[in-house]
Amino acid sequence: MYETVLRRNPGEVEFHQAAHEVLESLRPVVDKRPEFVDASIIERICEPERQIIFRVPWVDDSGKVRINRGFRVEFNSALGPYKGGLRFHPSVYLGIVKFLGFEQIFKNALTSMPIGGGKGGSDFDPKGRSDGEIMRFCQSFMTELYRHLGEYTDVPAGDIGVGGREIGYLFGQYKRITNRYEAGVLTGKGLSWGGSQVRTEATGYGTVFFVHEMLRARKTDFDGKKVVVSGSGNVAIYAAEKVAQLGGTVIALSDSGGYIVQEGGIDLDAVKELKEVRRGRISEYAEKRDARFVADGCIWDVPCDIALPCATQNELDESGAGALVKNGCIIVAEGANMPTTPEALRVLRRGGIEFAPGKAANAGGVATSALEMQQNASRDTWTFEYAEERLHDIMQGIYGTCAMTAEEYGMPGDYVAGANIAGFIRVADAMLALGVI
Ligand code: NDP
């Protein structure tokens, strides 16, 4: 099957990597459930239901016409409408969107919510762009995408480069074109216009809730633990915040320009102001504080008990993993999607580090998006405490599912196998029930 994926999707290396990891886990499932083979479920699950690629023309502040490429891959809708974020980053191409969409199918299934898997984005680079340029780009992007969306069809959210501001412009244009206040068509909305409490915090908080369960299984907790978090965007900031609330100390954060280290613990309010308000660089944090900025290093060289890669794909490689093992790290949990290379994962396993894959550990974001859809459908708004409690329950549920499934299939403690197998079975059962479509 992997050979088929390679042949049918040439050059899409990230998609190959994501598919390989899942396919590798499915061998024992195929032995136990031959009906999945008879119905060609694995072949079907590797082929997106629909792939949309479109031109996004827009005008920059100097009056120059710019052209970007937009994508939406609607991968699998056996469990519900396609659900998954939009990424605006110059590295975006079909292979990235497909890897993210493929992961999203299993992640969404693990949440036990009624949502299918999809992903989208553009090779547009928002860095250095004015507010007006961002708005014009978002409006042009939505002018094509709107016809593929709907609260029962496809419901995007944010991802790298797409936060509350972008979701606002996208929703505004959708509303204008369709003349419908269809709040459930996008998630990650502002609190005053249909958003949910805790959506902003959900991915980071959820990752830390998952780690908390791993620590509980080891009969310990965050108290006194040193934690390194890569990135300083949405996921990283709120992962760091929850670590601090639970008694851990976040000693390092990064962006694509380098990383900062502060042994006494990083001042998260200052990071929020720097990144969410001023949209500055992480190096600026170190200028006025007792912190070190390292431009050309590797954040995984910083000794820690727990490492949370929360920036981007393939950011933790073999040598980074080697440094974590050498320095006595006990847990790596992926806040980002596929940040750990396959070689790094082998090193972590050999070194006895417990590992939580993104499709389980970072599922809190999409789960809270589904809670946002639930509130939109019932015209209700929940309190922060209630939404966080729901998120916490969901993450405990995902942890339990992964741990139990790994045990059932003879691989106790292997959360990668547990997540892949449990997510796959839920989708595969629905696909069987829905016939050959
Ligand atoms: P943001 O855009 O808010 O932040 C991304 C952070 O990662 C920034 O600090 C950015 O630095 C850094 N980064 C991005 N690319 C690179 C790179 N090539 N090298 C080094 N650093 C990099 O994105 P999110 O926090 O939303 O997303 C982070 C990860 O989490 C992604 O993998 C995403 O798919 C995943 N995720 C996000 C969810 C969400 O709810 N937002 C849900 C589930 C997963 P710089 O600003 O310098 O580029």
Side-chain angles (χ1 to χ4, degrees), residues 368-429:
T368 308
S369 277
L371 300 179
E372 182 174 332
M373 292 162 73
Q374 201 173 320
Q375 291 167 77
N376 295 148
S378 60
R379 309 251 191 281
D380 198 2
T381 50
W382 301 346
T383 62
F384 190 96
E385 291 69 26
Y386 182 64
E388 188 179 12
E389 195 183 306
R390 292 286 305 264
L391 168 66
H392 188 233
D393 289 350
I394 290 168
M395 294 314 297
Q396 278 187 322
I398 295 173
Y399 173 82
T401 302
C402 294
M404 253 169 41
T405 309
E407 268 205 48
E408 187 187 331
Y409 281 82
M411 295 170 272
D414 185 341
Y415 300 112
V416 174
N420 286 338
I421 293 173
F424 172 79
I425 290 177
R426 182 153 190 255
V427 182
D429 278 336

Side-chain angles (χ1 to χ4, degrees), residues 189-410:
K189 298 181 293 294
L191 291 178
S192 60
W193 43 278
S196 173
Q197 294 282 2
V198 188
R199 177 60 191 91
T200 305
E201 297 84 355
T203 307
Y205 277 22
T207 302
V208 174
F209 287 146
F210 194 97
V211 175
H212 195 57
E213 294 304 305
M214 294 168 84
L215 288 167
R216 268 180 12 136
R218 300 169 70 109
K219 308 225 174 325
T220 179
D221 55 27
F222 271 102
D223 213 22
K225 301 278 187 304
K226 286 188 173 189
V227 183
V228 166
V229 182
S230 66
S232 49
N234 174 264
V235 180
I237 287 177
Y238 292 97
E241 181 168 281
K242 188 48 79 181
V243 167
Q245 285 173 9
L246 294 177
T249 307
V250 176
I251 56 169
L253 281 174
S254 65
D255 65 17
S256 56
Y259 67 89
I260 51 165
V261 191
Q262 190 172 16
E263 287 297 334
I266 286 170
D267 175 355
L268 291 173
D269 286 337
V271 173
K272 276 190 196 173
E273 205 271 327
L274 173 65
K275 286 291 179 180
E276 295 181 341
V277 182
R278 283 196 284 129
R279 297 178 192 273
R281 311 301 303 158
I282 203 74
S283 55
E284 297 166 40
Y285 176 92
E287 285 164 11
K288 292 185 224 116
R289 287 176 192 80
D290 180 25
R292 205 157 40 89
F293 172 68
V294 183
D296 306 316
C298 169
I299 192 171
W300 312 118
D301 289 339
V302 179
C304 63
D305 303 302
I306 295 167
L308 305 178
C310 294
T312 194
Q313 64 276 353
N314 292 329
E315 52 161 320
L316 170 53
D317 62 9
E318 205 172 352
S319 77
L324 290 171
V325 171
K326 187 171 101 279
N327 291 330
C329 174
I330 57 170
I331 289 175
V332 171
E334 297 185 323
N337 285 312
M338 209 171 72
T340 313
T341 66
E343 299 75 31
L345 183 53
R346 275 192 283 278
V347 173
L348 297 178
R349 281 189 165 140
R350 244 185 281 126
I353 294 186
E354 273 193 61
F355 178 79
K359 65 171 77 65
N362 72 33
V366 75
T368 308
S369 277
L371 300 179
E372 182 174 332
M373 292 162 73
Q374 201 173 320
Q375 291 167 77
N376 295 148
S378 60
R379 309 251 191 281
D380 198 2
T381 50
W382 301 346
T383 62
F384 190 96
E385 291 69 26
Y386 182 64
E388 188 179 12
E389 195 183 306
R390 292 286 305 264
L391 168 66
H392 188 233
D393 289 350
I394 290 168
M395 294 314 297
Q396 278 187 322
I398 295 173
Y399 173 82
T401 302
C402 294
M404 253 169 41
T405 309
E407 268 205 48
E408 187 187 331
Y409 281 82

Side-chain angles (χ1 to χ4, degrees), residues 138 163-174 186 188-190 193:
C138 288
R165 172 180 60 167
E166 291 75 18
I167 294 292
Y169 294 144
L170 292 164
F171 182 65
Q173 184 74 350
Y174 182 88
L186 281 171
K189 298 181 293 294
W193 43 278

Side-chain angles (χ1 to χ4, degrees), residues 21-82:
E21 189 217 273
V22 171
L23 293 174
E24 222 177 24
S25 299
L26 296 185
R27 216 178 291 268
V29 184
V30 170
D31 294 339
K32 252 194 183 169
R33 303 284 303 271
E35 67 271 28
F36 291 154
V37 180
D38 298 339
S40 296
I41 295 289
I42 300 183
E43 285 84 341
R44 274 195 275 156
I45 227 168
C46 289
E47 186 67 23
E49 290 174 13
R50 192 174 297 106
Q51 305 183 57
I52 303 145
I53 305 182
F54 51 99
R55 181 173 68 192
V56 190
W58 57 285
V59 182
D60 73 15
D61 284 347
S62 70
K64 188 170 163 30
V65 175
R66 304 265 177 182
I67 306 296
N68 284 99
R69 192 171 284 177
F71 302 88
R72 186 74 184 164
V73 173
E74 299 181 332
F75 227 117
N76 193 297
S77 59
L79 294 176
Y82 310 103

